[in-house]
Amino acid sequence: MGKKIVFLLASLFTVWIANGQNTIIKGIVTDSITGEGLPYVSLIFKGTTIGTATDGDGNFSFSASTDVRNLEVSYLGYDTKEIKIVPGKTNNLDIKLAPNGITLNEVVVKPKKEKYSKKENPAVKFVKQVIASRESNDPRNHDYFQYDQYEKMVFAMNDYQPKPKKNGKPGKFDFLIDFVDTLDVGTTILPVSEKEKVESVYYRKEPKSERRVVKGNKSSGVDEIFSRDGIQQFLNEVFREVDIFKNDIPLFLQRFVSPLSTIGPNYYKYYLLDTVNVNGQKCVDLGFVPFNSETFGFTGHLFVTLDSTFFVQKAVLNVPKDINLNFVSGMTIEQTFERTPDSTRIITKDDINVNFKLSEKSKGMYARRLNIYSNHSFDEPDAERALVFKESSPVITLKDAYQQSEDFWTSNRPEEAIKKNPNSVEKLMAKFRSVPIFYITEKVVSVLVSGYIPTNKDPLKSKFEFGPMNTAISGNAIEGARFRVGGTTTTAFSKNLFFDGYMAYGTKDEKLKYDALVEYSFNDRKEYRKEFPLNSIRLEYMYDINQLGQQYMYASKDNMFLAWKRQKDTRATYLRQAELTYYHEHYNGLAYGAVVRNRREYATEYAVFDRIGPDGTISPVKSYDMTELELKFRYAKDEKFYQTRNIRYPITFDALIFNFSHVMAKKNLLGSSYDYHRTDIGIQKRFWFSAFGYIDLITKAGKVWNKVPYPLLILPNANLSYTIQPESYTNMNAMEFISDEYASWDLTYYMNGNLLNRLPLVKKLKWREVFCFRGMWGHLTEKNNPMNGGDGLYLFPDGSYTFGKAPYMEASVGIENIFKFLRLDYVWRLNYRDHLGIQTRGVRFMMRMSF
């Protein structure tokens, strides 16, 4: 019995000793200036693989059985820190990390708790001197400036840990373990998209010009289902090169206030923290944090030399965790600069690391965009290189840029861009596509994204494709159910000659509609017939319904998603039309074209042509004919858009867009029924108010100069769907107003949450306010008013009106970013509320993913 008691006591003692050696570590890792939690910081016991990483808010908690007393804490852009741990105990840690190479005092500034004053603040005085000197060392002050640039973009699954099957059997995706990479901070990732580019940049001051010569470009990954040039255009805008010396920093299609903005002292709190050595230069560590952490600003550090030049040697920027920015759970931007003998500033590195999350519980995605700059020169380029300034395109891609060998990339890839795991994403995609379920899924998603079904297993060899699929089935009040089949040739068939068309049938009107098009491009197309820049001649012949007063800017008329209408869309005729079009776009934003058009428009029971005779008698007319010449002019310098096969979706509206068109016809010339002249002009522009949002303004005006029947007059663009559509009137009926002169406006203010972010509970939803005010002033001259008689005019259809003295107006208040993708507007019609069959108010929606 005594032996059993001794054994039991010994066992309990052993268990107690074992539990006593179990070390518990928990706490938070924060930025030493702002107090913001740092996400995905690596914490590992020195010399072991035991450790963890912080969550999205910087918190961590784990336990381990080890005698090691030193815990290493590391994070990109910050100095690694070593913490002493007491083994066998619970260690509550509050770890504060400082940026690379910085030794800060133990005193930590906590902006949310301290009293801050701009008056007599030496940090504010110091930053104003930095701002005042930012233009003096700009490299573009020189007559010439050139450099080489290497860019790498990586998208990866974050914190990736392969999970073996419970039954021990091999899985279809076991090969993924061979492609896992490890970041410098110890986090494992699985790269799923990789892009590299090598280019030379040439700048000339007078006349001002900048050209980029792309010498190498390659990409691979799961995003190959998108347009190569389109996705590159989009990523170039999302991950813009950061210039902290400008007032605003475009990033994620938003505008961040730069810490060196002229409004910086009114937007940021600044702190003089310490003097440190950066690359052998004695610098001041200038910390900054925005007054309101929900707005579009940064927290971080600027390291400025302690001399009269106020030269910025290095910058480290982070986003506050409370920022109203979708999907971004953490971001660090690190930039380094060098000073030339004449004190010119040249950038050597621009490194952005971002952690994306769809939800708080997901591990999310990791993205990095690394730019390395080298071989800077201010010498005038030799005669051969100077030829780039004669090129019209701002980006010149060399012929073999997309076929460069691996030796080219090895010699041009800087050490900082070399992965620890040599296996490429290209090899990963080959492995993925060898798995049938992935191969089929990729093909289905590709069809959904592009809208077209290829006729060859290899998309690059598919000469003809069926589509677009979202128009296969739709409906309207005239046709009933509408079925459509169509397709187009591709660049695999020809890079210059294209055929396109469709056939459609309505079950209610039992009519066959069709469209046939042939186009010749004078410059080779890379992917799509309509890609920028156009320089082509096109012949098209079609017969289809013509929905009067309904035009959708970024959707086809028979898109199935617009079939749900708030009222019957019966205002339509049938139109037979032939067009010969020449159109030419230039890289400088200029575009012009001419269209010769012959058309016959047929009346319907919903849009009758009741003609007024010389004696006032009314007689129905089946149709009228027109042969027209239309001249077009457009200016849109620096316009950014995502190109699909048929539509250009704007990425931003920052560019000033100007449109002009004039249509003319001569009565009895080539069958025209009327003399006709119509002129239209339009201007569109986005105005940014830095972190306080932006306004999109669209204005148009036009006039019909002749006496013509109502189908040739001005019919405002009515939106009968429940969706939010640009350049259309939400609560106006189709053909409700008819005029021959007009001026319109569409004003939309996106406040980016500046009001809702101030409400304690609502701000957690990250909703954003949208205010719209749109309207149209119109006038019908006496010569085109059928109420005054008028030989040759048609009576207006029932429910059509002319404008009074006041313009038509409507306003809306909306909230966007609901669930990060939904926008809801409540719309009021402000006047002309006594018209029959109208809707005076209502709710409209739009689905759009945004940062």
Side-chain angles (χ1 to χ4, degrees):
M1 183 69 179
K3 290 181 178 179
K4 291 183 178 180
I5 293 174
V6 170
F7 178 77
L8 179 59
L9 291 174
S11 300
L12 291 173
F13 181 76
T14 302
V15 171
W16 179 78
I17 291 292
N19 285 334
Q21 294 301 312
N22 196 42
T23 306
I24 299 175
I25 304 99
K26 58 183 179 179
I28 188 171
V29 181
T30 59
D31 184 287
S32 58
I33 297 174
T34 67
E36 301 284 351
L38 298 176
Y40 313 116
V41 177
S42 174
L43 302 99
I44 298 177
F45 280 104
K46 190 173 183 179
T48 74
T49 58
I50 302 171
T52 189
T54 61
D55 63 15
D57 296 322
N59 299 304
F60 64 91
S61 178
F62 73 105
S63 62
S65 298
T66 177
D67 292 329
V68 179
R69 295 175 179 268
N70 295 330
L71 183 70
E72 284 189 341
V73 186
S74 57
Y75 191 58
L76 182 65
Y78 290 77
D79 272 345
T80 298
K81 197 167 188 177
E82 216 171 273
I83 307 293
K84 293 290 184 182
I85 297 297
V86 181
K89 302 289 185 180
T90 298
N91 296 259
N92 290 297
L93 305 177
D94 185 0
I95 304 170
K96 298 173 175 59
L97 293 187
N100 289 129
I102 309 307
T103 304
L104 299 179
N105 297 330
E106 290 302 318
V107 179
V108 177
V109 178
K110 295 184 178 180
K112 292 185 179 179
K113 298 181 180 179
E114 45 100 23
K115 291 184 178 180
Y116 180 88
S117 174
K118 293 186 294 182
K119 190 176 182 180
E120 304 299 328
N121 188 332
V124 174
K125 183 179 179 181
F126 183 81
V127 78
K128 285 182 177 179
Q129 291 173 311
V130 179
I131 294 170
S133 62
R134 65 183 186 178
E135 300 297 333
S136 62
N137 51 20
D138 190 334
R140 283 171 172 75
N141 289 335
H142 290 260
D143 291 335
Y144 294 93
F145 178 40
Q146 65 184 59
Y147 57 89
D148 293 332
Q149 179 176 340
Y150 168 88
E151 180 183 81
K152 183 172 185 177
M153 298 188 69
V154 176
F155 294 87
M157 297 175 64
N158 206 0
D159 194 19
Y160 180 78
Q161 301 290 341
K163 293 182 180 179
K165 284 195 171 184
K166 294 181 180 179
N167 56 16
K169 294 182 179 180
K172 296 177 181 177
F173 299 100
D174 287 348
F175 58 83
L176 293 180
I177 189 65
D178 298 328
F179 295 88
V180 173
D181 202 4
T182 306
L183 302 178
D184 292 337
V185 296
T187 305
T188 56
I189 61 171
L190 178 66
V192 294
S193 176
E194 200 170 66
K195 305 177 190 300
E196 287 185 285
K197 183 167 61 175
V198 173
E199 60 185 351
S200 294
V201 182
Y202 299 88
Y203 170 81
R204 182 181 63 191
K205 188 176 181 180
E206 294 293 342
K208 188 175 181 180
S209 179
E210 183 168 305
R211 297 290 183 266
R212 292 175 176 264
V213 179
V214 179
K215 301 175 180 178
N217 198 333
K218 73 171 184 175
S219 63
S220 57
V222 295
D223 54 355
E224 291 177 2
I225 60 175
F226 298 99
S227 161
R228 183 183 66 191
D229 288 349
I231 200 68
Q232 186 64 51
Q233 184 86 285
F234 177 77
L235 293 175
N236 287 345
E237 287 300 306
V238 173
F239 292 96
R240 290 272 289 270
E241 292 184 63
V242 173
D243 188 350
I244 63 172
F245 302 94
K246 300 294 184 183
N247 288 329
D248 294 329
I249 297 176
L251 204 59
F252 299 117
L253 305 182
Q254 301 288 349
R255 287 294 185 274
F256 289 74
V257 178
S258 169
L260 294 179
S261 169
T262 52
I263 69 167
N266 296 318
Y267 189 85
Y268 285 100
K269 300 177 184 180
Y270 296 95
Y271 307 92
L272 294 174
L273 299 173
D274 205 349
T275 56
V276 295
N277 285 322
V278 179
N279 296 329
Q281 292 284 330
K282 195 171 185 180
C283 297
V284 169
D285 177 11
L286 178 67
F288 53 89
V289 61
F291 282 98
N292 185 348
S293 61
E294 286 88 9
T295 55
F296 289 96
F298 299 100
T299 65
H301 308 259
L302 296 175
F303 303 104
V304 186
T305 57
L306 274 172
D307 55 30
S308 59
T309 63
F310 296 98
F311 186 86
V312 178
Q313 287 280 128
K314 182 177 180 180
V316 178
L317 289 73
N318 303 290
V319 290
K321 69 176 183 180
D322 296 329
I323 191 171
N324 191 344
L325 191 65
N326 288 335
F327 314 119
V328 177
S329 61
M331 179 178 72
T332 299
I333 302 173
E334 182 179 338
Q335 293 188 327
T336 57
F337 303 90
E338 289 183 0
R339 180 163 47 178
T340 63
D342 65 352
S343 294
T344 299
R345 173 188 70 243
I346 56 174
I347 187 171
T348 57
K349 181 174 73 171
D350 179 22
D351 193 3
I352 300 180
N353 288 264
V354 187
N355 286 298
F356 294 103
K357 273 191 173 184
L358 289 175
S359 66
E360 288 299 322
K361 295 183 179 180
S362 67
K363 292 183 178 180
M365 297 289 293
Y366 164 83
R368 183 187 189 190
R369 196 268 289 133
L370 173 66
N371 279 332
I372 300 294
Y373 307 87
S374 59
N375 301 325
H376 300 80
S377 173
F378 301 110
D379 297 332
E380 182 177 354
D382 56 34
E384 183 179 351
R385 293 182 179 180
L387 292 175
V388 298
F389 294 116
K390 295 184 178 181
E391 295 286 341
S392 58
S393 172
V395 179
I396 302 102
T397 302
L398 299 185
K399 189 175 182 180
D400 57 350
Y402 288 97
Q403 289 84 36
Q404 292 288 7
S405 66
E406 191 56 38
D407 290 340
F408 170 87
W409 293 107
T410 301
S411 60
N412 284 277
R413 185 181 294 127
E415 184 176 351
E416 196 165 352
I418 298 175
K419 297 194 305 179
K420 294 180 180 179
N421 188 334
N423 286 334
S424 66
V425 174
E426 189 176 2
K427 293 180 181 178
L428 173 65
M429 294 307 298
K431 288 275 191 179
F432 266 136
R433 288 167 182 147
S434 67
V435 180
I437 189 172
F438 179 88
Y439 178 81
I440 295 172
T441 302
E442 184 184 33
K443 293 297 182 184
V444 171
V445 173
S446 178
V447 170
L448 292 175
V449 170
S450 69
Y452 285 80
I453 300 176
T455 54
N456 190 295
K457 291 184 178 180
D458 184 354
L460 297 178
K461 297 179 180 179
S462 180
K463 296 182 178 181
F464 182 86
E465 297 184 349
F466 290 97
M469 303 311 297
N470 62 0
T471 63
I473 302 175
S474 60
N476 57 69
I478 293 180
E479 294 180 283
R482 175 182 168 105
F483 298 92
R484 169 174 153 170
V485 60
T488 180
T489 61
T490 70
T491 52
F493 171 79
S494 172
K495 293 183 180 297
N496 304 95
L497 183 63
F498 297 88
F499 298 91
D500 198 327
Y502 66 82
M503 297 183 68
Y505 182 79
T507 57
K508 186 176 180 180
D509 67 351
E510 298 181 340
K511 288 180 179 291
L512 182 68
K513 297 90 180 176
Y514 49 83
D515 185 294
L517 175 153
V518 57
E519 181 170 344
Y520 182 81
S521 174
F522 296 101
N523 46 7
D524 290 351
R525 308 284 77 194
K526 290 182 289 186
E527 289 187 88
Y528 303 133
R529 173 175 63 88
K530 294 184 178 181
E531 69 188 25
F532 181 86
L534 286 173
N535 182 16
S536 65
I537 187 168
R538 183 180 78 236
L539 179 63
E540 183 175 11
Y541 186 78
M542 58 86 68
Y543 173 71
D544 209 332
I545 65 167
N546 179 32
Q547 294 178 314
L548 301 173
Q550 293 185 70
Q551 298 177 22
Y552 297 108
M553 302 295 109
Y554 304 112
S556 58
K557 61 185 178 182
D558 45 5
N559 188 312
M560 65 177 66
F561 300 108
L562 297 179
W564 183 31
K565 303 289 180 68
R566 57 183 171 86
Q567 64 174 214
K568 286 187 176 182
D569 52 342
T570 56
R571 299 292 196 181
T573 60
Y574 289 96
L575 182 65
R576 188 182 304 278
Q577 180 171 280
E579 285 187 340
L580 178 63
T581 304
Y582 172 74
Y583 199 67
H584 193 176
E585 295 176 318
H586 295 267
Y587 288 104
N588 61 7
L590 289 176
Y592 45 83
V595 183
V596 177
R597 181 185 300 116
N598 177 267
R599 63 193 183 108
R600 173 172 290 179
E601 190 162 14
Y602 299 90
T604 65
E605 60 180 299
Y606 308 103
V608 295
F609 297 166
D610 286 336
R611 182 172 178 170
I612 303 172
D615 56 356
T617 58
I618 307 299
S619 57
V621 176
K622 291 184 178 180
S623 65
Y624 71 91
D625 298 300
M626 294 295 291
T627 300
E628 306 166 342
L629 172 64
E630 180 177 5
L631 301 177
K632 298 179 179 181
F633 175 83
R634 189 172 191 266
Y635 179 75
K637 184 175 174 57
D638 299 325
E639 183 183 18
K640 300 294 189 301
F641 49 81
Y642 176 79
Q643 175 79 62
T644 67
R645 194 178 302 272
N646 293 308
I647 300 176
R648 293 175 178 177
Y649 294 99
I651 298 174
T652 71
F653 290 99
D654 294 345
L656 172 67
I657 299 175
F658 174 79
N659 286 287
F660 169 85
S661 69
H662 183 76
V663 182
M664 63 190 80
K666 179 68 175 174
K667 186 176 181 180
N668 297 325
L669 178 64
L670 300 176
S672 287
S673 301
Y674 302 94
D675 289 323
Y676 187 58
H677 285 271
R678 173 173 174 166
T679 305
D680 290 89
I681 59 173
I683 297 176
Q684 179 174 317
K685 183 75 174 76
R686 173 170 292 177
F687 299 92
W688 281 92
F689 303 111
S690 196
F692 303 102
Y694 55 90
I695 285 179
D696 283 345
L697 175 63
I698 303 172
T699 61
K700 292 183 177 181
K703 181 177 177 64
V704 174
W705 304 88
N706 306 90
K707 178 182 176 180
V708 290
Y710 75 81
L712 295 172
L713 296 178
I714 294 165
L715 308 177
N717 192 15
N719 176 16
L720 300 186
S721 76
Y722 287 96
T723 63
I724 299 169
Q725 296 288 334
E727 301 183 48
S728 64
Y729 298 97
T730 305
N731 282 355
M732 183 187 289
N733 292 346
M735 289 187 64
E736 181 180 349
F737 291 95
I738 301 177
S739 66
D740 56 13
E741 299 173 335
Y742 80 99
S744 67
W745 72 90
D746 190 327
L747 193 70
T748 307
Y749 181 26
Y750 299 85
M751 286 195 70
N752 278 347
N754 275 287
L755 293 178
L756 297 177
N757 283 343
R758 301 178 187 277
L759 303 179
L761 296 178
V762 176
K763 70 179 183 180
K764 294 184 179 180
L765 299 173
K766 296 188 175 182
W767 289 351
R768 302 169 186 167
E769 320 84 350
V770 184
F771 301 95
C772 299
F773 179 49
R774 61 181 69 90
M776 181 176 185
W777 173 87
H779 177 251
L780 184 69
T781 58
E782 293 298 322
K783 65 178 179 290
N784 281 317
N785 192 341
M787 298 297 292
N788 300 327
D791 181 22
L793 297 183
Y794 300 164
L795 292 177
F796 286 178
D798 292 339
S800 294
Y801 301 84
T802 59
F803 288 93
K805 293 182 179 180
Y808 170 86
M809 295 178 290
E810 60 186 31
S812 67
V813 175
I815 297 176
E816 64 172 353
N817 207 38
I818 302 172
F819 307 120
K820 299 183 180 180
F821 73 93
L822 180 64
R823 170 181 163 186
L824 290 178
D825 280 15
Y826 193 79
V827 187
W828 291 271
R829 176 167 169 154
L830 302 180
N831 55 356
Y832 297 103
R833 296 163 64 93
D834 57 342
H835 288 186
L836 298 176
I838 63 168
Q839 187 178 66
T840 59
R841 62 188 63 197
V843 176
R844 303 292 183 266
F845 72 93
M846 170 187 286
M847 290 183 288
R848 185 186 69 169
M849 301 287 282
S850 63
F851 288 102

